[in-house]
Amino acid sequence: MVSDPLLYVENLVTSFRTEYGTVTAIDDVNFSVKAGKTLAIVGESGCGKSVTALSIMGLLPQKISSIDHGKIVYAGEDILQKSSQERQQMRGNEISMIFQEPMTALNPVYTVGQQISEVFKIHRNYSNKKARQEALRMLIEVGIPDPEKRLDEYPFQLSGGMRQRVMIAIALACEPKILIADEPTTALDVTVQAQILSLMKKLQQEHGTAIIFITHDLGVVAQVADEVVVMYAGKVIEQGDVYQIFEDPKHPYTKGLMSSLPSINDTKDKPLNTIEGNVPSLSHLPIGCRFSTRCDIANHKCVETSPHLKPMNIGHHVSCHSAHAEEA
């Protein structure tokens, strides 16, 4: 029996009010994630990955942003219909997020123990003593050495890897059903990165957590993901399981990302492949396909008509006129 998604996002549209007018940062985005599985959202900086995560969390700046359309359904309920207080109760309890830079996400004037304890006091109504005991347990669980000492230290006293482990401890304190990890290993060296990824996988297996993993690192995606969503300029342009995306990418943008990966067979003087040009400004998007200005195989249809996300085969969807023409 196929299990239902724990969370699905349907036709999500998120916009921002800027000095140049209103721009749509997320345009008709759809995806889902099941319990115990990892969905990776990939793409260049500015493609909408983090805005998608913040839309789910309800952490967008209210004065300049709005969710104009769509649903975010968690456990059968559209959380966009919930009150601010209800969504606040969900954050950290049902759905948690690991932010990209722990040094800015952690409060510099509170100790590690105080920041982890706060989660238990807010969501579990624990006493100070009980919350501190649970904070210590979480530091042990995420593998921080000398955890009793670290409880009373401040973020600046910890290494980057340890700060990221503290962020994971905070995010997993109440055993959320969904964990959103926004570039959690970007600022870490490869050894610590491997440790963090292994830790997240271990905790996922133990607690059955669904993970939405946001990254631009395709090497990490290959290690952790079950399903992959490729975003470009606010739209989903390809999605499928990790084997489909890596073994048979269909969209020219996805192919470009794959070809830019270094190979162990490359010589040291061989330059890496690149995708020429830049992501278009959200205030001046192309009329047709948003990738058409950078695409080597774009034709007049690509320039004039925006493609729709359509199935290529079971579970594999692509938004590309040329890809579907080849299959026809």
Side-chain angles (χ1 to χ4, degrees):
M1 181 178 176
V2 179
S3 60
D4 292 331
L6 183 59
L7 177 136
Y8 70 86
V9 173
E10 181 179 301
N11 306 126
L12 183 67
V13 178
T14 300
S15 63
F16 287 85
R17 292 173 290 280
T18 74
E19 59 183 311
Y20 306 106
T22 299
V23 297
T24 301
I26 302 297
D27 191 357
D28 199 30
V29 165
N30 296 268
F31 61 81
S32 63
V33 61
K34 296 178 180 179
K37 298 295 184 180
T38 298
L39 170 76
I41 302 178
V42 303
E44 293 169 278
S45 297
C47 72
K49 305 185 301 292
S50 295
V51 174
T52 300
L54 294 173
S55 297
I56 295 171
M57 292 295 295
L59 291 175
L60 292 169
Q62 294 183 359
K63 291 184 178 180
I64 62 169
S65 68
S66 62
I67 295 178
D68 302 324
H69 185 70
K71 296 179 180 179
I72 301 174
V73 179
Y74 165 70
E77 294 185 296
D78 184 0
I79 61 178
L80 295 179
Q81 302 304 315
K82 293 182 177 293
S83 66
S84 297
Q85 186 175 0
E86 288 174 322
R87 295 193 72 177
Q88 184 176 0
Q89 184 60 32
M90 289 181 66
R91 283 195 293 269
N93 192 26
E94 300 286 332
I95 306 175
S96 283
M97 186 167 177
I98 302 171
F99 295 93
Q100 183 171 350
E101 179 42 65
M103 197 59 205
T104 56
L106 293 171
N107 194 318
V109 300
Y110 289 99
T111 65
V112 165
Q114 287 172 323
Q115 295 187 61
I116 303 175
S117 296
E118 183 181 22
V119 181
F120 292 106
K121 288 190 281 188
I122 290 173
H123 294 295
R124 295 290 186 267
N125 201 28
Y126 285 174
S127 65
N128 289 337
K129 182 179 180 181
K130 175 68 171 174
R132 183 178 170 86
Q133 290 172 345
E134 289 298 300
L136 176 61
R137 178 183 65 81
M138 288 307 303
L139 288 184
I140 294 171
E141 187 165 359
V142 298
I144 286 187
D146 201 1
E148 293 88 352
K149 177 185 176 184
R150 304 301 179 194
L151 268 181
D152 296 313
E153 291 186 339
Y154 293 87
F156 74 88
Q157 296 176 281
L158 306 181
S159 68
M162 278 203 231
R163 287 196 294 267
Q164 196 60 282
R165 287 173 186 264
V166 170
M167 284 295 301
I168 294 173
I170 292 172
L172 294 176
C174 292
E175 299 184 10
K177 299 293 190 299
I178 298 172
L179 176 66
I180 301 174
D182 187 4
E183 307 256 16
T185 60
T186 297
L188 306 177
D189 63 55
V190 291
T191 304
V192 178
Q193 174 180 285
Q195 293 172 349
I196 294 297
L197 294 177
S198 176
L199 170 63
M200 290 178 64
K201 196 67 178 177
K202 170 178 173 287
L203 295 174
Q204 181 183 47
Q205 291 169 347
E206 291 175 355
H207 300 292
T209 310
I211 296 178
I212 298 175
F213 200 101
I214 296 170
T215 184
H216 62 268
D217 189 334
L218 292 175
V220 171
V221 173
Q223 294 180 59
V224 304
D226 298 295
E227 302 282 333
V228 181
V229 166
V230 183
M231 292 188 69
Y232 184 80
K235 292 186 78 73
V236 174
I237 53 95
E238 186 164 4
Q239 64 186 89
D241 69 43
V242 67
Y243 300 104
Q244 291 169 331
I245 298 299
F246 274 80
E247 294 177 6
D248 191 23
K250 296 294 186 183
H251 198 284
Y253 177 63
T254 311
K255 292 178 181 180
L257 292 178
M258 295 298 175
S259 68
S260 67
L261 286 172
S263 169
I264 58 174
N265 297 318
D266 291 343
T267 58
K268 64 179 181 179
D269 57 343
K270 180 184 177 182
L272 289 174
N273 292 323
T274 59
I275 302 174
E276 296 296 327
N278 297 304
V279 178
S281 167
L282 293 176
S283 58
H284 296 90
L285 290 169
I287 296 173
C289 174
R290 297 184 180 186
F291 188 61
S292 61
T293 57
R294 305 172 69 188
C295 183
D296 293 335
I297 60 172
N299 54 40
H300 70 279
K301 187 176 182 180
C302 303
V303 174
E304 296 172 0
T305 308
S306 179
H308 298 292
L309 195 68
K310 296 189 292 188
M312 298 290 289
N313 46 55
I314 297 175
H316 192 178
H317 293 72
V318 183
S319 174
C320 177
H321 294 307
S322 298
H324 286 287
E326 290 175 7
E327 288 289 309

